[in-house]
Amino acid sequence: TGDILMTSQLPGLANGMAWTEVGGKLLPVETAVFPGKGELVLTGSLGDVMKESARIALTLIKQRLSSLGLPEDSLQKQDLHVHVPEGAIPKDGPSAGITLTCAMISALSQKPLKQGIAMTGEITLTGRVLPVGGIKEKVLAAHRNHLSEIILPKQNDKDRDDLPQEVLRQLSIHLVETLDEVLSLVFP
Amino acid sequence: TGDILMTSQLPGLANGMAWTEVGGKLLPVETAVFPGKGELVLTGSLGDVMKESARIALTLIKQRLSSLGLPEDSLQKQDLHVHVPEGAIPKDGPSAGITLTCAMISALSQKPLKQGIAMTGEITLTGRVLPVGGIKEKVLAAHRNHLSEIILPKQNDKDRDDLPQEVLRQLSIHLVETLDEVLSLVFP
Amino acid sequence: TGDILMTSQLPGLANGMAWTEVGGKLLPVETAVFPGKGELVLTGSLGDVMKESARIALTLIKQRLSSLGLPEDSLQKQDLHVHVPEGAIPKDGPSAGITLTCAMISALSQKPLKQGIAMTGEITLTGRVLPVGGIKEKVLAAHRNHLSEIILPKQNDKDRDDLPQEVLRQLSIHLVETLDEVLSLVFP
Amino acid sequence: TGDILMTSQLPGLANGMAWTEVGGKLLPVETAVFPGKGELVLTGSLGDVMKESARIALTLIKQRLSSLGLPEDSLQKQDLHVHVPEGAIPKDGPSAGITLTCAMISALSQKPLKQGIAMTGEITLTGRVLPVGGIKEKVLAAHRNHLSEIILPKQNDKDRDDLPQEVLRQLSIHLVETLDEVLSLVFP
Amino acid sequence: TGDILMTSQLPGLANGMAWTEVGGKLLPVETAVFPGKGELVLTGSLGDVMKESARIALTLIKQRLSSLGLPEDSLQKQDLHVHVPEGAIPKDGPSAGITLTCAMISALSQKPLKQGIAMTGEITLTGRVLPVGGIKEKVLAAHRNHLSEIILPKQNDKDRDDLPQEVLRQLSIHLVETLDEVLSLVFP
Amino acid sequence: TGDILMTSQLPGLANGMAWTEVGGKLLPVETAVFPGKGELVLTGSLGDVMKESARIALTLIKQRLSSLGLPEDSLQKQDLHVHVPEGAIPKDGPSAGITLTCAMISALSQKPLKQGIAMTGEITLTGRVLPVGGIKEKVLAAHRNHLSEIILPKQNDKDRDDLPQEVLRQLSIHLVETLDEVLSLVFP
Ligand SMILES: [Ca+2]
Ligand SMILES: [Ca+2]
Ligand SMILES: [Ca+2]
Ligand SMILES: [Ca+2]
Ligand SMILES: [Ca+2]
Ligand SMILES: [Ca+2]
Ligand SMILES: [Ca+2]
Ligand SMILES: [Ca+2]
Ligand SMILES: [Ca+2]
Ligand SMILES: [Ca+2]
Ligand SMILES: [Ca+2]
Ligand SMILES: [Ca+2]
């Protein structure tokens, strides 16, 4: 099956990118929020490492509630449900870390992300963004789906020269080291 | 064993379609609702992906309670039990997503679905309907069981030309992109 | 070991029939009810499918409390324990569905089943009775144990001609499509 | 290691018998009761079937609280811990059913069992005692440990002729069909 | 790595002895107690049998609270954490039964054990001490670490003659049958 | 991927060192604290032994709350989340014991560790520091990352002579036997 692009401006959505054996692919993340008691529901055939990425995102948000302008009890009276289509395809790895975090913040704040952006990068518990693999294939997939802004980890800077010049000319690539830099790009 | 057709107008029932190695088959979904505390019970030898589809359906319903005309506490004071006969046959995959969602809404609202409809399609957390496999075999099974209306994902449009013209002539096929379109077809 | 026949008129007992590699066998189901908080305890080396059958029976009962003449809080202030002897023999499959349901209703209402009846049939969440396998061997086991009334799924009608005429002459076979028909036979 | 005989008159103890590849063996069951909230703790490397036997014993006791002279809240304000030495030896099977039941009743009532008795037999949820295997080896083990009274399931009657006459002469063998018969032998 | 000897007089410590393929080894048990709600935390790569030994120790303590001079609510308002270094080495078997029990009692009462003692022995739920294996290697390890008093199960009496006379001359070996005898040796 | 050095002075961070098949590596530990109910969340693909190390650290902290200047309810009204990047790399073993403990104390007290320190050592429940493997490779990794102070278990003293003299000259190595010694080094 082909790529799934999310062009809508609904809150809770963020576009990641995945590496697969047959090339790069968009990895849209969907997050829903509803009254509950702080549960985190994860669907989409996610592996353990990806589930842990979502758990890290949750803690990062809990620590930034006030700076994000969210009520202190945001995560006590609500549940978060994160889903990554397509449901039958197993997904794993840490590289959706910043995508998961952005999608979850968007759902909680009910603010959509800036459109046209795709991102990839492992997140750590202090908000650092670590490098990931498959940059070339991932960026080509974003380009193929007409996304024009790409957020990459700073330490992946060296992977840009694997991309064709004509692709690079049509893209705006942002290199980031921290979650805060990511957030100022997607919620400008 | 042969197909199980649900012709009754009981609330909580929806007809899905399954692909099997020996052809398509109806996949009826049964949902019961009773006083409880918000538990979701799943039976019918469902695999992980299908269980996750039911979990997605639950979140979609939680987010649409008011637009569905359901009381806000519908899912806090009641349990939902979803069963897919036949109990000994393992079932999996995301393609029952819209069927599960319709059956659960029907049980909660106590409104039966419009009769004579079969459906297949993966659901995502934003209510998009994604394409699925086995369209030809699934539609033939619905036709064989005298169901006259079929709901398919828009992206499966291209699979219609695999069906015999005389079958197509006897069917009304609806192509959908969102859950809202599905709901307006089954609860007209 | 041989068959275990339950001739007593204790509430909570129902005679199922099982197919085994060495012929049919009675499958007695025992149910106890005692003060608790709504737990369902299952013993007897039951497999996943058989455990799900018991879970379906529980939901069917919850939905029929008033028509069964049971107090609304029957399953909130009591636990149900279902056991299928012999404890070391693994048992699985959906064909004890109606037997489990009858035994559980009998325990809750403290009304014994009509004596001399054996039954087999899968149950669904809407109370339909689905066909099962091994009819010939099962009925011969019931006959060998001097049970005179047999409840079979309507769709197993065609399996009756596999039985010797002299056996059929000594039996009263009831073909059923719904749980309600079963209940009116065992609680006449 | 050799047999472990429990000659003390402490409440909570009962002597079962086990079959092993190198002959019969005593299977002492120890039960402790202490303030708690109704938990059943099982130790001694017990397999699933033996754990289910203990669960059946618990339900049988819950249903007989008043006839056993136990307070109605005996199992709500206390925990039961059943241990079967030796802790490193895996044990399984249903044949300790009546032994487990007697040991648990003894602990709850704080009445020791009559001394000098060994027993074996599967228990069902209606209190029936079903036949078990290894009778010859089990009884020889009890005899070797100078136990003089043996409780066996009625359906194991036929296994007595496998024992030497001189052993039989020194033993008093009781054949039982129900738990009530067992209880009147051990709590005379 | 070599032996770990606990010479400090901190409460919560007890020296067990383990048999390994390369000889005997000290098996120190550490227990901590802190405000909680009755949880038992077990670390040190313990196997199922050793975990059950700790569970047995817990029940034995619950039954002896008053004779041990401990408040009745000692185990309701506190958690116990038992750790057996070294954390990466898997440990299993029942022979640390009395060691675990002594360490846990010491932690709860905040009384250190008498110094210079090592012990080995399976414990049962009635406080009996059962024989264990590897006596020769275990005692040599204790001797090598300058421990002068050894507690062994009475039924291991016969294993003393496997030890060199000059080792035996330097040790004081206590043979015990019950937990009470153990406790009067370590808490004199 | 290369080493990840944490030079920031944020509380909750500590630098461990890991041995890998391709040489030593820094093992940064990140800890976050936020309002909760005493849960310990562990991410970073940690194995059972490493998870148990974190559990030991938690108990050690619970026992030292007052000496650490932490409120008595520090761990009842807050959750601790410990993460060890990089998330996709499985990590196990006990040698991060003191690193985990320091990171957790730093997060709870909101005091950063003294900068420039790396450490390795198993921790026990009484606060002893046990020797670990891979000292040479670990220290070289710390040196390569310009860390100047190294904390090692006292029993690893003998491993220092495996290091080049010129490396040793540039490092300040502290040999410790207890957690208290570690704490006075990192929180001077
Ligand atoms: Ca995994
Ligand atoms: Ca490059
Ligand atoms: Ca699966
Ligand atoms: Ca086509
Ligand atoms: Ca199974
Ligand atoms: Ca036929
Ligand atoms: Ca098992
Ligand atoms: Ca015989
Ligand atoms: Ca094990
Ligand atoms: Ca000897
Ligand atoms: Ca492991
Ligand atoms: Ca050396």
Side-chain angles (χ1 to χ4, degrees):
Chain A
T1 61
D3 283 304
I4 303 169
L5 178 61
M6 298 196 293
T7 54
S8 110
Q9 284 181 328
L10 287 178
L13 307 184
N15 280 307
M17 299 169 281
W19 179 93
T20 79
E21 293 187 355
V22 293
K25 193 171 174 176
L26 287 191
L27 187 85
V29 173
E30 302 177 329
T31 305
V33 62
F34 48 88
K37 46 181 195 277
E39 200 187 350
L40 176 61
V41 181
L42 302 171
T43 54
S45 298
L46 310 187
D48 292 347
V49 172
M50 200 160 174
K51 284 179 181 166
E52 289 197 349
S53 291
R55 201 68 183 78
I56 293 167
L58 188 66
T59 293
L60 286 168
I61 295 170
K62 284 182 182 171
Q63 292 195 307
R64 282 160 176 74
L65 287 177
S66 64
S67 70
L68 292 168
L70 295 169
E72 283 305 307
D73 58 358
S74 291
L75 286 158
Q76 283 149 35
K77 300 187 176 169
Q78 295 181 108
D79 289 346
L80 272 178
H81 183 158
V82 177
H83 177 64
V84 189
E86 309 162 52
I89 300 176
K91 304 160 196 87
D92 210 351
S95 76
I98 58 171
T99 322
L100 291 162
T101 311
C102 290
M104 288 161 71
I105 291 172
S106 170
L108 285 165
S109 65
Q110 291 296 308
K111 281 189 259 181
L113 270 72
K114 182 181 171 195
Q115 275 192 282
I117 296 185
M119 68 192 84
T120 188
E122 175 172 350
I123 193 82
T124 84
L125 202 53
T126 51
R128 289 178 292 150
V129 179
L130 301 186
V132 298
I135 294 295
K136 182 186 173 186
E137 292 80 5
K138 289 175 176 176
V139 174
L140 288 177
H143 177 258
R144 189 174 64 233
N145 283 282
H146 309 294
L147 292 168
S148 56
E149 285 188 80
I150 312 284
I151 301 176
L152 298 181
K154 178 82 171 293
Q155 289 176 262
N156 283 113
D157 188 10
K158 65 187 185 318
D159 299 310
R160 281 193 293 179
D161 57 11
D162 300 333
L163 288 159
Q165 280 304 315
E166 63 175 83
V167 168
L168 285 174
R169 263 193 306 272
Q170 299 171 49
L171 294 176
S172 168
I173 293 185
H174 307 273
L175 297 168
V176 297
E177 287 181 290
T178 67
L179 176 60
D180 289 338
E181 295 168 45
V182 177
L183 295 181
S184 53
L185 288 165
V186 302
F187 300 113
Chain B
T1 60
D3 283 305
I4 303 169
L5 177 60
M6 298 196 294
T7 52
S8 110
Q9 284 179 328
L10 288 177
L13 307 184
N15 281 306
M17 298 170 282
W19 180 93
T20 79
E21 292 187 355
V22 293
K25 193 171 173 176
L26 286 191
L27 186 85
V29 173
E30 302 177 329
T31 305
V33 63
F34 48 87
K37 46 181 193 279
E39 200 186 351
L40 176 62
V41 182
L42 302 171
T43 55
S45 298
L46 309 188
D48 292 347
V49 172
M50 200 160 174
K51 284 179 180 167
E52 289 196 349
S53 292
R55 200 69 182 76
I56 293 167
L58 188 66
T59 293
L60 286 168
I61 294 169
K62 283 182 183 173
Q63 292 196 305
R64 282 160 177 74
L65 287 176
S66 65
S67 71
L68 292 169
L70 295 169
E72 283 305 308
D73 59 358
S74 292
L75 285 158
Q76 283 150 35
K77 300 187 176 169
Q78 296 182 107
D79 289 346
L80 272 178
H81 183 157
V82 176
H83 177 64
V84 188
E86 309 164 48
I89 299 176
K91 304 160 196 86
D92 210 351
S95 77
I98 58 172
T99 322
L100 291 162
T101 311
C102 289
M104 288 161 70
I105 291 173
S106 170
L108 285 165
S109 65
Q110 291 295 309
K111 281 189 258 180
L113 270 72
K114 182 181 172 194
Q115 276 191 282
I117 295 185
M119 69 192 82
T120 188
E122 175 173 351
I123 193 84
T124 84
L125 201 54
T126 49
R128 290 178 292 149
V129 179
L130 301 186
V132 298
I135 295 295
K136 180 186 174 187
E137 293 79 5
K138 288 175 175 176
V139 174
L140 288 176
H143 178 259
R144 189 175 65 235
N145 283 282
H146 309 294
L147 292 168
S148 56
E149 285 188 79
I150 312 284
I151 301 175
L152 299 180
K154 178 82 173 293
Q155 288 176 262
N156 284 113
D157 188 10
K158 66 188 185 317
D159 298 310
R160 281 194 293 180
D161 59 11
D162 300 333
L163 288 159
Q165 279 303 315
E166 63 175 84
V167 168
L168 285 173
R169 263 194 306 273
Q170 300 171 48
L171 294 176
S172 168
I173 292 184
H174 308 274
L175 297 169
V176 297
E177 286 180 291
T178 67
L179 176 60
D180 289 338
E181 294 168 46
V182 177
L183 295 182
S184 54
L185 288 166
V186 302
F187 301 113
Chain C
T1 60
D3 283 305
I4 304 169
L5 178 60
M6 298 196 294
T7 53
S8 112
Q9 283 180 329
L10 288 177
L13 307 184
N15 281 305
M17 298 170 284
W19 180 94
T20 79
E21 293 189 354
V22 293
K25 192 171 173 177
L26 287 191
L27 186 85
V29 173
E30 301 176 331
T31 305
V33 63
F34 48 88
K37 46 181 193 278
E39 200 187 351
L40 175 61
V41 182
L42 302 171
T43 55
S45 297
L46 309 187
D48 292 347
V49 173
M50 200 161 175
K51 284 178 181 167
E52 289 196 349
S53 292
R55 201 69 183 76
I56 294 168
L58 189 66
T59 293
L60 287 168
I61 294 169
K62 284 182 182 171
Q63 292 195 305
R64 283 160 176 75
L65 286 176
S66 66
S67 71
L68 292 169
L70 295 169
E72 283 305 308
D73 58 359
S74 291
L75 286 158
Q76 283 150 36
K77 299 187 177 171
Q78 296 181 107
D79 289 346
L80 272 178
H81 183 156
V82 176
H83 177 64
V84 188
E86 308 165 47
I89 300 175
K91 304 161 195 85
D92 210 351
S95 77
I98 58 172
T99 322
L100 290 162
T101 312
C102 289
M104 287 161 71
I105 291 173
S106 170
L108 284 166
S109 64
Q110 291 295 310
K111 280 190 259 181
L113 270 73
K114 182 182 172 193
Q115 277 192 279
I117 295 184
M119 69 192 80
T120 188
E122 176 172 349
I123 193 83
T124 85
L125 202 54
T126 49
R128 291 177 293 149
V129 179
L130 301 186
V132 297
I135 295 295
K136 181 185 174 187
E137 293 79 5
K138 288 175 174 175
V139 173
L140 288 177
H143 177 258
R144 187 174 68 235
N145 283 282
H146 310 293
L147 293 168
S148 56
E149 286 189 78
I150 313 283
I151 300 175
L152 298 181
K154 178 80 174 294
Q155 288 175 264
N156 283 113
D157 189 9
K158 64 189 186 315
D159 298 309
R160 281 194 293 180
D161 58 12
D162 300 333
L163 288 158
Q165 278 304 313
E166 63 175 86
V167 167
L168 285 174
R169 264 194 305 272
Q170 300 171 48
L171 294 176
S172 168
I173 292 184
H174 307 273
L175 297 168
V176 297
E177 286 181 291
T178 67
L179 175 61
D180 289 338
E181 295 168 45
V182 177
L183 295 181
S184 54
L185 287 166
V186 302
F187 301 112
Chain D
T1 62
D3 283 305
I4 302 170
L5 177 60
M6 296 196 296
T7 53
S8 111
Q9 283 179 329
L10 289 177
L13 306 184
N15 281 305
M17 298 170 284
W19 179 94
T20 79
E21 293 188 355
V22 293
K25 192 170 173 178
L26 287 191
L27 187 85
V29 173
E30 300 177 331
T31 306
V33 62
F34 49 88
K37 46 182 195 276
E39 198 187 352
L40 176 61
V41 182
L42 301 171
T43 54
S45 297
L46 310 187
D48 292 348
V49 172
M50 199 159 174
K51 283 179 182 166
E52 290 196 350
S53 291
R55 201 69 183 75
I56 294 168
L58 189 66
T59 293
L60 287 168
I61 294 170
K62 283 182 182 171
Q63 293 195 305
R64 283 159 175 76
L65 286 176
S66 64
S67 71
L68 291 168
L70 295 169
E72 282 306 308
D73 58 0
S74 292
L75 286 158
Q76 284 150 34
K77 299 186 178 169
Q78 297 182 106
D79 288 346
L80 272 178
H81 183 156
V82 177
H83 177 62
V84 188
E86 307 162 50
I89 300 175
K91 305 160 195 87
D92 209 350
S95 77
I98 59 172
T99 321
L100 290 163
T101 312
C102 289
M104 288 162 71
I105 291 173
S106 171
L108 285 165
S109 65
Q110 291 295 308
K111 280 190 259 179
L113 270 72
K114 184 181 171 194
Q115 277 192 277
I117 296 184
M119 69 192 81
T120 188
E122 176 173 348
I123 193 83
T124 84
L125 202 54
T126 51
R128 290 178 293 149
V129 179
L130 301 187
V132 297
I135 294 295
K136 181 186 172 186
E137 293 78 6
K138 288 176 174 174
V139 174
L140 288 176
H143 177 257
R144 188 173 66 234
N145 283 282
H146 310 293
L147 292 169
S148 56
E149 286 189 78
I150 313 284
I151 301 176
L152 299 180
K154 179 80 174 293
Q155 287 175 264
N156 284 112
D157 189 9
K158 64 188 187 316
D159 298 310
R160 282 194 293 179
D161 57 12
D162 299 334
L163 287 158
Q165 278 304 313
E166 61 176 87
V167 167
L168 285 174
R169 264 194 304 271
Q170 299 171 48
L171 294 175
S172 168
I173 292 183
H174 307 274
L175 297 168
V176 297
E177 286 180 291
T178 68
L179 176 61
D180 289 338
E181 295 168 45
V182 177
L183 295 181
S184 53
L185 287 165
V186 301
F187 301 112
Chain E
T1 61
D3 283 305
I4 303 170
L5 178 61
M6 296 196 295
T7 53
S8 109
Q9 282 180 327
L10 289 177
L13 307 184
N15 281 305
M17 298 170 283
W19 180 94
T20 78
E21 292 188 355
V22 293
K25 192 172 174 177
L26 287 191
L27 187 85
V29 173
E30 301 177 329
T31 305
V33 62
F34 47 88
K37 45 181 196 276
E39 199 186 350
L40 176 60
V41 181
L42 301 171
T43 53
S45 298
L46 311 186
D48 292 347
V49 171
M50 200 159 173
K51 283 179 181 165
E52 290 196 350
S53 291
R55 201 67 182 77
I56 293 168
L58 188 67
T59 293
L60 286 168
I61 294 170
K62 282 182 183 171
Q63 292 195 307
R64 283 158 175 75
L65 286 177
S66 64
S67 71
L68 292 168
L70 295 169
E72 282 306 307
D73 59 359
S74 291
L75 286 158
Q76 283 150 35
K77 299 186 178 170
Q78 296 181 107
D79 288 348
L80 272 178
H81 183 158
V82 177
H83 177 63
V84 188
E86 306 160 53
I89 299 176
K91 305 160 195 87
D92 209 351
S95 76
I98 59 172
T99 321
L100 291 162
T101 312
C102 289
M104 289 161 70
I105 291 173
S106 170
L108 286 165
S109 65
Q110 290 297 306
K111 280 189 260 181
L113 270 72
K114 183 181 171 193
Q115 277 193 280
I117 295 185
M119 69 191 82
T120 188
E122 176 172 348
I123 194 81
T124 84
L125 202 54
T126 51
R128 290 178 294 150
V129 179
L130 301 187
V132 298
I135 294 295
K136 181 186 172 187
E137 292 78 7
K138 289 175 175 175
V139 174
L140 288 177
H143 177 259
R144 189 173 65 234
N145 284 281
H146 310 293
L147 293 168
S148 57
E149 286 189 78
I150 313 285
I151 300 175
L152 299 180
K154 179 81 173 292
Q155 286 174 264
N156 283 113
D157 188 10
K158 65 186 185 319
D159 298 310
R160 282 193 293 179
D161 58 10
D162 300 334
L163 287 159
Q165 279 302 316
E166 62 175 87
V167 167
L168 286 173
R169 263 194 306 271
Q170 299 171 49
L171 295 175
S172 168
I173 293 184
H174 307 274
L175 297 169
V176 297
E177 286 181 292
T178 67
L179 175 61
D180 289 338
E181 295 168 46
V182 177
L183 295 181
S184 52
L185 288 165
V186 302
F187 301 112
Chain F
T1 61
D3 284 304
I4 303 169
L5 177 61
M6 297 195 294
T7 54
S8 109
Q9 284 181 327
L10 288 178
L13 306 184
N15 281 305
M17 298 170 281
W19 179 94
T20 78
E21 292 188 354
V22 293
K25 192 172 174 176
L26 287 191
L27 187 86
V29 173
E30 302 177 329
T31 306
V33 62
F34 47 88
K37 44 181 196 276
E39 199 186 350
L40 176 61
V41 181
L42 302 171
T43 53
S45 298
L46 310 187
D48 292 347
V49 171
M50 200 160 174
K51 284 179 181 165
E52 290 196 350
S53 291
R55 202 65 183 79
I56 293 167
L58 188 66
T59 293
L60 286 168
I61 295 169
K62 283 182 181 170
Q63 292 195 307
R64 281 158 176 76
L65 287 177
S66 64
S67 70
L68 292 168
L70 296 169
E72 282 306 307
D73 58 358
S74 292
L75 287 158
Q76 282 149 36
K77 299 186 176 168
Q78 296 181 107
D79 289 346
L80 272 178
H81 182 157
V82 177
H83 177 62
V84 189
E86 307 161 54
I89 300 176
K91 304 161 195 87
D92 208 352
S95 77
I98 59 172
T99 321
L100 291 162
T101 312
C102 289
M104 288 161 72
I105 291 173
S106 170
L108 285 165
S109 65
Q110 290 297 306
K111 281 189 259 181
L113 270 72
K114 184 181 171 193
Q115 276 191 280
I117 295 185
M119 69 192 82
T120 187
E122 176 172 349
I123 193 82
T124 84
L125 201 54
T126 51
R128 290 178 292 149
V129 179
L130 301 186
V132 298
I135 294 295
K136 181 186 173 186
E137 293 79 6
K138 289 175 175 175
V139 174
L140 289 177
H143 178 258
R144 189 174 64 233
N145 283 282
H146 309 293
L147 293 168
S148 56
E149 285 188 78
I150 313 285
I151 300 175
L152 299 181
K154 178 82 172 291
Q155 287 175 263
N156 284 113
D157 189 10
K158 64 185 185 318
D159 298 311
R160 281 193 293 179
D161 57 11
D162 300 333
L163 288 160
Q165 279 302 315
E166 62 177 84
V167 168
L168 285 173
R169 264 194 305 269
Q170 299 171 48
L171 296 175
S172 168
I173 293 186
H174 307 273
L175 297 169
V176 298
E177 287 181 290
T178 67
L179 176 60
D180 289 339
E181 295 168 45
V182 177
L183 295 181
S184 52
L185 288 165
V186 302
F187 301 113

